[in-house]
Amino acid sequence: MSNIYTGPVFEMARNQFVSVANYLEIPEGHRDRLLYPKRAITISCPIHLDNGETAVFQGYRVQHHLTLGPTKGGTRFAPSVDIGEVSALAIWMSWKCALAGLPYGGAKGGVTVDPYKLSRRELEGLSRRYMQEMIPFVGPHIDVMAPDMGTNEQVMAWFMDTYSMYQGRTVNEIVTGKPVSSGGTEGRREATGLGVAHLIARALERLNMPAAGSTAIIQGFGNVGSFAAIELARQGVSIIGVSDHTACYFDRKGLDVDKLVAHMAAHGSLAGFSTEALFDANELLVQPCDILVPAAIERVIDEKVAPRLQCRILAEAANGPTTPEADAVLLSRRKEIFVIPDILCNSGGVIVSYFEWVQDLQQLFWGRNEVITRLRGLLDDAFERVMARVDKDDVPHRVAAMAIGVDKVAKAKAMRGLFP
Ligand SMILES: NC(=O)C1=CN([C@@H]2O[C@H](COP(=O)(O)OP(=O)(O)OC[C@H]3O[C@@H](n4cnc5c(N)ncnc54)[C@H](OP(=O)(O)O)[C@@H]3O)[C@@H](O)[C@H]2O)C=CC1
Ligand SMILES: O=C(O)CCC(=O)C(=O)O
């Protein structure tokens, strides 16, 4: 199939799919239908800059499959965004939602922009224009957006408001990850990081390692990385390394997570937190630790980094942090390194987004305890199913997790018939 889906991140998603399709013995003739997105939308978003000029930003939304329900997934504002990256992220959302048992296909969207270079007024203009251009293609039962890198609750509130103005009524079920004051759910802000820490606790249990006194290194200190750090520290794990784009810190005695979080709240980045603990960002991932949490971008663990990892647990909070070449290395190190694959590890976010959507549709809101208890229940269930498959078939954790997701979508497609 000749197509527009290219680039290293899409190649990763395709290679992973081929490995899983081989393991599941999916016939060649069924594979393109499972892999390639149903719809890929490209838009131009012109906005007025503060200096009076007009800038046009490229935006995308990819809806991978519609077999199990509406599509679901975040919106990324980052310079790296292109159709290949967004498509890969949409495909991963499909396997993630199916693994968690959510009634969704995968989607992802984004704008090629550095959001930190825009003023608040420009960011609002871009967010509103993006949603406005997407109105013909999204809806509470068609495609439901959420935050991802570079977007947040405020951007979701602007999306919701823009969509609602066009409908002439409040439609808060059009996006998730909104502020609680605008129809968001308790627990969504921290859900992904909390889920990462919960699954790390399950992995520690399985390895007979106590949480208290274990050490963790976290790359990325945004929504996911910071909440994972808070929850791990609460469990007694010592956070010995953290980084973002602006700084990297490492201290074997442990960093003060409360102070890191307060610094982020005051300054918006890690720069300036400490002079003593400054460290080389290129060496952070390969330092000895019990738990390594990449919580930033794709492809940071490649065939050069993988042989040098010195962690016992690799908890993939980011989407796609490990390349297929690195996976081959990790396969040979599978007794040393316990991988919690991304589609399992970071699924807490979309799980609580699902709870938010359900609450918005019903206009009946749950308390935080109910949200977190249900979240832990779905994560435990997915974790157990992945481990059962690993034990039964002796396959790598990623293959087991993806196989559960791919198999569910494949079976649903088969039952619905080949032709419309
Ligand atoms: N938000 C969510 O609910 C979910 C997010 N994810 C995934 O988690 C990851 C992080 O997302 P999220 O926390 O929301 O995004 P944020 O934008 O909130 O934070 C991203 C963090 O990563 C850092 N970062 C970016 N590039 C690098 C780099 N090269 N080295 C070190 N740090 C870097 C950023 O630093 P800086 O600010 O300095 O650029 C920032 O600290 C992404 O892969 C995303 O797809 C997965 C599931 C759900
Ligand atoms: O909350 C959601 O709907 C999607 C979150 C997301 O983008 C992801 O899991 O990668």
Side-chain angles (χ1 to χ4, degrees), residues 260-268:
L260 281 166
V261 170
H263 183 88
M264 280 297 293
H267 304 282

Side-chain angles (χ1 to χ4, degrees), residues 1-269:
M1 175 163 167
S2 95
N3 61 64
I4 55 168
Y5 305 108
T6 56
V9 186
F10 188 81
E11 274 311 298
M12 261 181 75
R14 203 179 62 78
N15 284 336
Q16 292 171 346
F17 172 76
V18 170
S19 304
V20 171
N22 290 342
Y23 159 63
L24 290 174
E25 299 180 348
I26 294 175
E28 285 292 338
H30 294 189
R31 294 187 181 190
D32 281 1
R33 185 167 174 242
L34 274 166
L35 177 67
Y36 287 102
K38 175 66 83 184
R39 298 178 187 141
I41 300 138
T42 303
I43 56 169
S44 296
C45 299
I47 63 161
H48 293 299
L49 300 177
D50 292 346
N51 65 9
E53 289 173 11
T54 301
V56 181
F57 295 93
Q58 210 65 53
Y60 306 95
R61 185 78 183 164
V62 171
Q63 299 165 346
H64 178 228
H65 78 81
L66 311 173
T67 309
L68 293 165
T71 48
K72 185 87 192 78
T75 307
R76 177 174 287 198
F77 284 1
S80 65
V81 166
D82 61 24
I83 194 78
E85 181 184 58
V86 166
S87 304
L89 290 161
I91 291 167
W92 288 327
M93 282 307 303
S94 285
W95 316 145
K96 188 186 306 185
C97 291
L99 169 63
L102 311 182
Y104 295 135
K108 204 79 166 200
V111 177
T112 316
V113 62
D114 183 346
Y116 303 104
K117 291 204 172 129
L118 299 180
S119 69
R120 184 180 161 86
R121 195 199 67 83
E122 291 167 339
L123 182 64
E124 177 171 355
L126 180 62
S127 304
R128 289 188 180 279
R129 187 63 192 237
Y130 176 80
M131 175 48 101
Q132 194 177 332
E133 296 293 341
M134 286 297 166
I135 286 175
F137 311 107
V138 298
H141 293 284
I142 300 170
D143 182 15
V144 181
M145 296 182 189
D148 190 77
M149 266 178 71
T151 60
N152 55 23
E153 288 178 15
Q154 175 61 79
V155 171
M156 295 307 113
W158 289 326
F159 282 177
M160 188 271 278
D161 184 64
T162 305
Y163 186 86
S164 296
M165 285 195 306
Y166 275 80
Q167 303 299 324
R169 68 190 171 88
T170 296
V171 188
N172 45 27
E173 61 272 28
I174 184 63
V175 294
T176 60
K178 301 177 295 293
V180 174
S181 58
S182 303
T185 182
E186 296 288 346
R188 175 61 184 88
R189 184 183 297 171
E190 61 271 39
T192 312
L194 204 83
V196 169
H198 180 76
L199 291 164
I200 290 171
R202 295 301 314 266
L204 286 167
E205 239 170 63
R206 204 174 147 102
L207 296 170
N208 281 322
M209 289 168 65
S214 294
T215 54
I217 292 175
I218 303 180
Q219 181 193 50
F221 211 71
N223 172 277
V224 179
S226 64
F227 280 109
I230 293 168
E231 183 58 19
L232 286 171
R234 206 190 55 76
Q235 291 170 15
V237 175
S238 171
I239 310 299
I240 58 171
V242 294
S243 72
D244 69 3
H245 247 121
T246 64
C248 172
Y249 303 108
F250 182 77
D251 183 346
R252 271 179 217 294
K253 295 191 295 299
L255 297 160
D256 186 325
V257 172
D258 290 341
K259 284 193 181 148
L260 281 166
V261 170
H263 183 88
M264 280 297 293
H267 304 282
S269 71

Side-chain angles (χ1 to χ4, degrees), residues 345-367:
C345 192
N346 66 35
S347 62
V350 72
I351 289 173
V352 176
S353 276
Y354 166 58
F355 297 159
E356 180 173 333
W357 180 70
V358 166
Q359 292 170 72
D360 286 339
L361 287 171
Q362 299 181 346
Q363 290 295 300
L364 180 64
F365 291 89
W366 312 344

Side-chain angles (χ1 to χ4, degrees), residues 307-361:
R308 299 181 60 215
L309 292 178
Q310 299 191 65
C311 57
R312 182 68 186 93
I313 295 173
L314 172 59
E316 295 182 338
N319 285 303
T322 307
T323 65
E325 295 76 21
D327 267 338
V329 177
L330 292 176
L331 179 61
S332 67
R333 300 187 65 192
R334 61 199 293 194
K335 297 279 180 270
E336 294 163 67
I337 300 179
F338 184 104
V339 178
I340 311 177
D342 52 2
I343 64 164
L344 172 64
C345 192
N346 66 35
S347 62
V350 72
I351 289 173
V352 176
S353 276
Y354 166 58
F355 297 159
E356 180 173 333
W357 180 70
V358 166
Q359 292 170 72
D360 286 339
L361 287 171

